[in-house]
Amino acid sequence: MTSVQDPSTAVRTVTATIDGHSVTVPDGTSIYDAAKQVGVDIPVLCHDERYDPVGVCRMCVVDTGGRVFAAACVRPCEDNMEVKTSTPELERSRATLTELLMADQPPRAEDPKDTTTRDNLLLDLADGFGVARETTELPCGSGRGTDSSNPVIDVNHDACILCDRCVRACDDIQGNDVIGRSGKGYSTRIAFDLNDPMGASSCVTCGECVQACPTGALTNKPIRGIPIRPREELDAVDSVCPYCGVGCALTYYVDRERGAISFAEGRDQPGSQSRLCVKGRYGWDYSASPQRLTTPLIRVDTAYPKGPLSADVRGDGDNDRGRGGSGGNRSGGGRKPGDKRGGKHKPGGLVDYDEVMPYFREATWEEALDLVARRLREIHAEGGPGAIAGFGSAKCSNEEAYLFQKLIRTGFGTNNVDHCTRLCHASSVAALFEGVGSGAVSTTYGDVANADVVIITGSNPTANHPVASSFFKQARRHGTKIIYIDPRASTVAEHADIFVQLKPGTDVAFYNSIMHEVIRLGMIDREFIASRTSNYDELARTVADYPPERAAQITGVDADTIREVARIWGEAGAGVIYWGMGISQHTTGTDNARCLIALCSITGNVGRPGTGLHPLRGQNNVQGASDAGLIPMFYPDYQGVDLDVTRRHFEEAWGTTLDPNRGLTVTEIIKSVLQPDGVRGMYMLGENPFLSDPNINKVRKALSALDFLVVQDIFLTETAEFADVILPASSYLEKVGTYTNTDRRVQLGRKVMDPPGQARPDWEIVQDIARRIGLNWTYGSPSEVFDEMVELMPSYKNLSYGNLGLSGKLYPNDDPEHSDGTIVMFDEKFNTDDGLAHLVPAQWLPPRELPDADFPLVLNTGRLLEHWHTGSMTRRSFALDAISPVAEVYMHPKDAADRGVAHGEMVRVRSRRGTIELLVRISHREQLGNCFIPFHFREAAANLLTIDEVDPFGKIPEFKFCAVQVEALGTPHEDPIATAGVRA
C-alpha cells in the first residue's frame, strides 16, 4: 500500500499492521504510539509520553522483520510495515534485560520505592517475567552509593537504571538543566551539575525527577514523620496548589489513620500539565503546624493601651538569624510580670507564642463573635461608614472574597474594602481596565508556545511562577525568542535570547523608545491601529521625544540594544508580553503598564494566538478576589461603584442602599487610621499588613491606634498582636471553594483535612458576623455563594460547581460543558465602552526617593522561590524553610568590597525609615549600586525600609525603589527613627 495524502488535513499518512491490527497514522508516528491506538500495550522503562523518546532501555523493542529488533518508542511506522510486539524471542530479550537490570537493584525489602509508593516499574516487569535479584546468578555491583543531601529527595544510585527519564524531566519539562550523566562504563551514574551532591547543586527541588523515575533511584522523603505509603492505601484528593497565581493542579495523598498528608503529585490540567514546583510538591505541611490557631482569643484588659506585644514587633528584638527593625512606637502594649523584652526569637523567625499569648484569653465562638459584631456596630454608629474598613485575602476562595466585600458594603455601608492586589498588580489592573476594559489577562501562559517573540519584564518567573516559567523555557527550545528586561539578572536571563538590564525605575523611557523605533521603522500594524485603537496620534507624538540615544542616557541600556529589541518585536508575527511586580510596584506603575499595552496594540499583538498582555498574578487567588469585588472601586466583575446604573443593579440584588463613593485602598486605610476622623475599626481576613505593607513603622503606629481590630487567620501573625479579637480560620486545605488563577482558570479546591480544634471555614465565620449585625444571610454551602456570584458577574456566566470538573474552566466560557473556555480574548473588540484599545501616552518620571551620599544604594524587594508573601505558611513548611532559612541582602561584588563586607557576614541595611540586620550574599545578578532583599523574613523585614509613596492611579506602593545604605556591623550610624520619630 502506498502513502496517501489526507485531503482534509494535508498530512501525509502511512498504514502499518501491528499484531494483526491495521492502523493508519500520520507519517512520523512511532510504533509505540500507533500500537496504543489499536490497544496493543508495549512495555517500557525509559519512555514517558511527556518526554522526547530516546530508546535507551530497549525494553520496548519489537520485530519489524529487520536484521535487529527496533525500539518502538523511537522507530517510526512505515507503509506496509508488519510489526510483532510479543514473540517468544522478544519476550526472552525483555526477560534477559530485566534480569540484568535487577542484578544491581537493592533487595525488594529495602527498595526505596517498593517500600513507599510501591510503584517500581522495573519490579513490576520482573514479576511478570519471573526474575528477581534474589534468584539471579548475575553478580551485583552495588557500589554507586546514595545521596541524602536534599531535605526532601533521596538519591539511590544503585537503584538507577540510567533510563534518563529524570534528565529529560529536568531538561524537557522544567527546563532546569541540572541532571546529566557522569563517569564511564559501570561507574556511570546520574549527576547533578558537576557531580555535586543534590542538595548542594543548582537543583530547585521541583520533584519532577521523582515523579519521572521508574525505580527507587529518586524518591521522596517523609515529611514530619508521615510515612509515604502506596496510593491505594491513601485517600487521593484532587485540588489546586495554594501558592502562586499559576494555579497548578495536584493530588494530595492523605493518610487518614494519621490525619495527615503523605505526599503530593502534579496532575493533568490544560494549564500546568502535571508540573509542580517545590512549594506545590513539598510545601503543604504548614497546615499541620502545632502553631495553628484553634480557639477564639480575646485581648485581656491588662494588654491595653493597645500596641505591639513581642520584642520583634515592638522593634527591640535581637536574633542571630537577622534582626527586626529599630525604632517606632514602643509605648503601646500592657506588660505582664516576667514577660520577655528582647532575647532570641524562636527558630524560623516566627512569632513567639510564649511571648504573645499571655495577652489573650481563650473564648467561645459565641462570645468572640458577639464582641466583634457589637464593637464594629458601635464604631459604625459613632463614626459612620467611613470609620469601618476591611482587608480581605487573596489566599481565600472566590466565595469568601465575595462574601467579605458584600459584608463590608451591605453591613457597614462603605466601600473601604481591599486586599493584597493593592500591593502587587493594582497599577496593572488600573491600566488594563482603562486601556482594554478588563483587569484580567488577555491570553494564557501556555499560549507562549504560539508566539514568535516574548517579552518578560519586571518579573522573575523562575522564582515567582516557576511552572509558568517552565513553559517559557520550553517555548524557547522550540524557537520562540525570549527578550528579558529587568534590573536584576535573575535565572530567566540565562534562558533569554536578549537580556536587557535597565536601571530600576526607567521602564517608561525604555518602552517609549522601543515604540519610537517601531514607529520610525514602519513596523506598526496600521490596520489594527485604525480599526481597533484610539489616541494613536497623541501616543506617537509622545514617544517621538524618546529616541534610543535619549533613552540610553536614562535607562543605562545602549541605543543599539534598544534598536535591536524594537526590530525583533516589530518583525514578530505574534508576540506576548508577560510582566510582574517589577512593572507594577512603582509610583509610575500604571504608566509602565500603559506603555506595555500600547506596545502590543500598535503592533497588532492582541487578540490572536501567541499574542497578548499577561500580568503574572502573585498569589493563588488574587485574580479571583479582584474578580469577586474585593477592591474599593469595583463591585464584582469590575463594575464601578460610582456608576449609578451599576449601583442600582447591586442594590436591587443585595436589597440595600450602597455607598456611591469609591472606598479607600490598603495604603489609604492605613493613612486614614492616623487621622482624627478616619478609620477606627477594622476586620482583617488572612492579611498581615505589618509585614506586607510599606514603611512598617507607620503601619505599627496605625495598628496601635485602631479602636478595634478583629484578625481572622490560621496563625498568630505580627498583625494579630494588635488585635482585640483573633478568630481561628481554616487553611486552604480544610475547605471547599473556587480559585481563579492568572490564566482566568476557575478551579475547585477540595477539602483535604478537617480544621484543627475549633477552627472554622472562613465563609462560615463571615456569615456568622453578617447575621449578628443584622444581615439575613442563609448560605448553606460555598456552591450557593458561587451561584449568586455568577448571576452578578457576566465574565463568569455559565460556570457552576457541576461543570468545573477536575481541571476547571477558563472564563469567559459560552459552553463549559464542552469547552475549556476562552484562551485568547479581544479577537474582535475590547471590553471598553467603544470597543477600542485606549492608548494612553506616558512621560518618564524619576522615582520619588533617589539615592544620595547618605543612602547611595537602590533597594529592590521581592520573592524567593521557596517562600511566599510574609512567610507565615512557607516558614512553617519543613522543606521550604530547610532550603531557605535565613534573610539575606544580595549585593554586587564591588558594592560589598567597597564596604569591606564579605559573603556570609552580617551587615546593617538602613533607610530613612529604619534599620535591619541580616546576612550579605555576594551576587552577580545585581547591578552596581543596587541591592535586593526578599520580604518574607520578619527578623529582617524589608518593608521597614521601603517608602509608602504610591502610584496616583493604582494606589500601589513603591516597593521596587528606595534609597538605602549597607554597612558592616560595628559601623557607627545615626538611627533616623530614634532621633526623629516615626514619619507618619
Side-chain angles (χ1 to χ4, degrees):
M1 185 175 181
T2 57
S3 300
V4 296
Q5 189 82 5
D6 185 334
S8 64
T9 61
V11 174
R12 184 176 181 271
T13 60
V14 298
T15 299
T17 302
I18 301 177
D19 288 350
H21 302 279
S22 179
V23 58
T24 300
V25 293
D27 190 19
T29 301
S30 70
I31 295 172
Y32 178 86
D33 289 335
K36 280 191 65 178
Q37 292 188 28
V38 293
V40 174
D41 185 28
I42 301 174
V44 292
L45 277 176
C46 74
H47 186 58
D48 186 300
E49 293 169 34
R50 301 175 69 215
Y51 319 135
D52 292 336
V54 292
V56 299
C57 78
R58 316 309 290 179
M59 190 62 66
C60 69
V61 292
V62 294
D63 187 350
T64 62
R67 185 174 58 85
V68 295
F69 294 150
C73 67
V74 294
R75 177 69 180 270
C77 287
E78 298 173 6
D79 253 348
N80 302 319
M81 177 182 277
E82 294 275 349
V83 180
K84 298 177 182 178
T85 70
S86 184
T87 65
E89 293 81 2
L90 286 169
E91 293 304 301
R92 280 197 299 272
S93 172
R94 291 169 182 156
T96 300
L97 176 58
T98 302
E99 185 177 12
L100 288 167
L101 293 172
M102 285 296 298
D104 283 343
Q105 291 294 298
R108 184 183 288 261
E110 302 171 12
D111 183 84
K113 184 159 285 189
D114 197 58
T115 55
T116 55
T117 50
R118 203 178 297 147
D119 56 354
N120 188 316
L121 298 185
L122 178 59
L123 291 181
D124 290 344
L125 286 171
D127 291 343
F129 290 119
V131 298
R133 172 186 169 173
E134 290 76 13
T135 59
T136 183
E137 296 180 358
L138 296 171
C140 175
S142 300
R144 289 180 289 181
T146 59
D147 175 6
S148 292
S149 58
N150 186 289
V152 287
I153 299 175
D154 259 330
V155 184
N156 187 320
H157 290 287
D158 290 327
C160 176
I161 59 173
L162 296 176
C163 67
D164 287 348
R165 277 170 63 156
C166 60
V167 177
R168 287 172 287 149
C170 188
D171 294 357
D172 300 350
I173 303 299
Q174 294 283 1
N176 292 323
D177 303 325
V178 176
I179 309 177
R181 288 191 183 197
S182 71
K184 294 181 179 180
Y186 184 78
S187 64
T188 302
R189 66 179 194 171
I190 59 168
F192 303 93
D193 291 337
L194 300 177
N195 219 5
D196 297 319
M198 188 184 199
S201 72
S202 60
C203 170
V204 295
T205 316
C206 67
E208 192 75 42
C209 58
V210 177
Q211 190 155 323
C213 183
T215 69
L218 290 159
T219 52
N220 291 325
K221 295 179 180 179
I223 292 177
R224 299 201 185 277
I226 305 301
I228 298 175
R229 296 165 53 193
R231 292 169 182 80
E232 58 269 20
E233 297 178 9
L234 302 172
D235 185 10
V237 181
D238 294 325
S239 194
V240 189
C241 179
Y243 286 108
C244 81
V246 176
C248 297
L250 48 67
T251 299
Y252 294 108
Y253 289 92
V254 186
D255 188 331
R256 295 297 179 196
E257 296 175 17
R258 294 172 173 82
I261 295 171
S262 178
F263 64 98
E265 287 184 333
R267 62 180 175 85
D268 197 25
Q269 177 238 60
S272 56
Q273 297 179 13
S274 302
R275 307 177 196 190
L276 292 175
C277 76
V278 61
K279 292 193 289 293
R281 197 181 301 274
Y282 301 111
W284 33 260
D285 55 313
Y286 70 90
S287 67
S289 167
Q291 290 194 326
R292 284 292 301 276
L293 295 171
T294 59
T295 188
L297 301 171
I298 294 177
R299 198 180 193 93
V300 299
D301 292 341
T302 54
Y304 291 91
K306 195 162 60 172
L309 302 175
S310 68
D312 290 339
V313 178
R314 288 197 304 272
D316 55 5
D318 193 11
N319 184 10
D320 54 7
R321 296 179 62 173
R323 197 178 72 178
S326 60
N329 180 1
R330 299 180 182 176
S331 61
R335 308 292 178 218
K336 284 194 172 185
D339 72 337
K340 297 181 181 179
R341 304 182 69 91
K344 302 299 181 184
H345 302 333
K346 293 290 185 183
L350 303 175
V351 172
D352 188 337
Y353 278 44
D354 292 338
E355 192 175 6
V356 176
M357 291 298 273
Y359 298 102
F360 292 90
R361 65 174 177 82
E362 293 186 354
T364 66
W365 271 105
E366 292 297 314
E367 180 187 12
L369 292 173
D370 287 346
L371 177 58
V372 169
R374 177 175 61 81
R375 288 295 293 125
L376 290 179
R377 281 201 314 268
E378 290 173 351
I379 292 170
H380 179 259
E382 295 167 3
I388 299 293
F391 284 178
S393 174
K395 295 184 285 293
C396 289
S397 68
N398 289 324
E399 295 80 2
E400 289 161 343
Y402 174 82
L403 289 184
F404 189 80
Q405 61 86 34
K406 184 179 178 182
L407 168 67
I408 299 298
R409 287 183 160 121
T410 63
F412 299 104
T414 179
N415 291 313
N416 292 342
V417 61
D418 206 356
H419 76 294
C420 73
T421 191
R422 196 63 45 206
L423 308 177
C424 55
H425 268 301
S427 53
S428 302
V429 170
L432 286 167
F433 192 79
E434 167 192 69
V436 299
S438 170
V441 301
S442 72
T443 192
T444 65
Y445 59 80
D447 196 27
V448 66
N450 298 312
D452 300 317
V453 177
V454 166
I455 289 177
I456 303 171
T457 179
S459 174
N460 181 8
T462 50
N464 299 340
H465 306 91
V467 169
S469 78
S470 72
F471 287 90
F472 301 158
K473 291 180 280 187
Q474 204 171 44
R476 190 200 177 212
R477 290 168 185 252
H478 295 152
T480 299
K481 283 188 178 296
I482 291 182
I483 301 171
Y484 182 51
I485 303 163
D486 197 75
R488 299 189 72 223
S490 76
T491 51
V492 185
E494 297 159 14
H495 298 273
D497 296 275
I498 298 176
F499 170 50
V500 180
Q501 192 168 27
L502 78 175
K503 293 178 181 177
T506 63
D507 302 89
V508 168
F510 178 81
Y511 288 106
N512 277 352
S513 188
I514 296 296
M515 286 189 280
H516 172 284
E517 280 298 286
V518 167
I519 292 171
R520 185 185 69 82
L521 294 171
M523 292 180 169
I524 57 176
D525 187 329
R526 298 185 186 279
E527 181 180 350
F528 190 93
I529 290 170
S531 63
R532 301 202 54 194
T533 72
S534 65
N535 205 35
Y536 169 75
D537 291 340
E538 184 62 32
L539 176 79
R541 280 192 291 271
T542 298
V543 302
D545 292 335
Y546 291 85
E549 287 73 19
R550 182 191 176 202
Q553 292 178 335
I554 298 172
T555 66
V557 180
D558 65 86
D560 287 343
T561 298
I562 294 174
R563 293 189 182 95
E564 183 182 12
V565 171
R567 179 187 57 79
I568 292 173
W569 179 260
E571 291 176 348
V576 185
I577 299 180
Y578 297 93
W579 73 90
M581 286 173 277
I583 288 291
S584 60
Q585 287 180 336
H586 287 279
T587 52
T588 58
T590 303
D591 282 343
N592 294 345
R594 285 167 172 162
C595 290
L596 302 182
I597 294 167
L599 178 58
C600 273
S601 298
I602 67 173
T603 52
N605 280 307
V606 188
R608 296 178 288 115
T611 70
L613 300 152
H614 192 127
L616 289 157
R617 305 296 183 177
Q619 293 202 33
N620 64 316
N621 202 38
V622 71
Q623 181 67 62
S626 300
D627 293 345
L630 199 57
I631 38 183
M633 63 285 299
F634 294 120
Y635 296 123
D637 212 7
Y638 308 97
Q639 301 175 73
V641 300
D642 49 1
L643 300 176
D644 290 342
V645 63
T646 299
R647 186 176 61 259
R648 286 195 294 270
H649 175 61
F650 278 91
E651 286 177 341
E652 182 178 349
W654 290 341
T656 189
T657 301
L658 297 172
D659 183 2
N661 303 304
R662 294 187 173 199
L664 300 177
T665 64
V666 163
T667 48
E668 290 171 332
I669 289 169
I670 294 297
K671 182 178 179 180
S672 173
V673 173
L674 296 173
Q675 305 303 317
D677 57 349
V679 171
R680 310 306 317 149
M682 285 197 68
Y683 182 3
M684 289 193 192
L685 169 59
E687 281 295 290
N688 189 15
F690 184 83
L691 287 185
S692 63
D693 285 23
N695 192 353
I696 281 176
N697 284 306
K698 183 175 179 178
V699 178
R700 179 193 290 115
K701 186 175 181 181
L703 294 176
S704 298
L706 280 169
D707 289 348
F708 185 78
L709 171 64
V710 53
V711 171
Q712 185 170 313
D713 217 316
I714 63 175
F715 296 115
L716 184 64
T717 63
E718 290 76 11
T719 300
E721 293 190 26
F722 300 86
D724 298 87
V725 177
I726 301 173
L727 303 176
S730 52
S731 78
Y732 173 92
L733 296 164
E734 296 152 6
K735 57 193 174 187
V736 174
T738 59
Y739 301 82
T740 306
N741 79 345
T742 191
D743 278 350
R744 296 174 272 107
R745 182 173 297 279
V746 183
Q747 302 180 88
L748 189 59
R750 293 171 174 83
K751 182 178 177 180
V752 180
M753 311 291 297
D754 290 326
Q758 298 180 45
R760 298 176 59 199
D762 294 89
W763 73 271
E764 291 183 4
I765 302 171
V766 174
Q767 175 161 265
D768 277 353
I769 293 174
R771 288 170 173 168
R772 279 171 167 79
I773 64 169
L775 300 177
N776 185 28
W777 288 8
T778 58
Y779 302 105
S781 67
S783 64
E784 292 183 14
V785 181
F786 188 78
D787 291 341
E788 178 178 310
M789 290 171 51
V790 169
E791 289 298 315
L792 294 168
M793 299 172 62
S795 295
Y796 281 51
K797 184 180 179 182
N798 303 318
L799 299 181
S800 70
Y801 272 33
N803 60 35
L804 290 179
L806 290 176
S807 59
K809 301 291 180 179
L810 296 172
Y811 75 76
N813 196 321
D814 293 334
D815 184 13
E817 296 292 343
H818 305 96
S819 170
D820 190 47
T822 302
I823 294 176
V824 178
M825 293 179 66
F826 314 133
D827 55 340
E828 295 182 355
K829 65 177 182 178
F830 293 95
N831 285 358
T832 53
D833 291 341
D834 56 11
L836 302 177
H838 300 161
L839 307 181
V840 182
Q843 295 285 357
W844 173 73
L845 297 171
R848 301 289 178 85
E849 180 180 84
L850 296 173
D852 58 18
D854 293 328
F855 300 97
L857 299 176
V858 174
L859 171 65
N860 183 9
T861 67
R863 292 188 178 98
L864 298 177
L865 167 65
E866 295 81 11
H867 287 297
W868 189 66
H869 205 43
T870 61
S872 60
M873 291 160 57
T874 54
R875 301 195 74 189
R876 289 177 171 90
S877 162
F878 165 74
L880 304 179
D881 192 57
I883 296 171
S884 184
V886 296
E888 296 174 311
V889 53
Y890 294 64
M891 295 185 69
H892 187 280
K894 186 176 186 305
D895 285 328
D898 289 347
R899 288 158 178 76
V901 298
H903 182 81
E905 291 184 352
M906 290 290 292
V907 294
R908 178 188 302 119
V909 184
R910 55 187 177 90
S911 75
R912 293 177 175 88
R913 288 151 298 280
T915 301
I916 61 175
E917 294 172 6
L918 69 173
L919 297 174
V920 67
R921 172 176 285 218
I922 306 302
S923 168
H924 292 274
R925 301 191 184 281
E926 315 311 315
Q927 288 189 64
L928 186 66
N930 291 259
C931 61
F932 172 79
I933 299 178
F935 54 63
H936 317 290
F937 298 89
R938 70 189 299 270
E939 64 270 32
N943 282 327
L944 192 78
L945 309 173
T946 53
I947 63 174
D948 53 0
E949 295 283 351
V950 299
D951 174 276
F953 304 98
K955 305 300 175 74
I956 192 170
E958 178 91 272
F959 286 121
K960 298 299 184 186
F961 198 113
C962 74
V964 299
Q965 175 62 289
V966 179
E967 53 201 12
L969 286 184
T971 304
H973 78 285
E974 184 181 82
D975 187 330
I977 302 303
T979 57
V982 178
R983 292 176 174 84

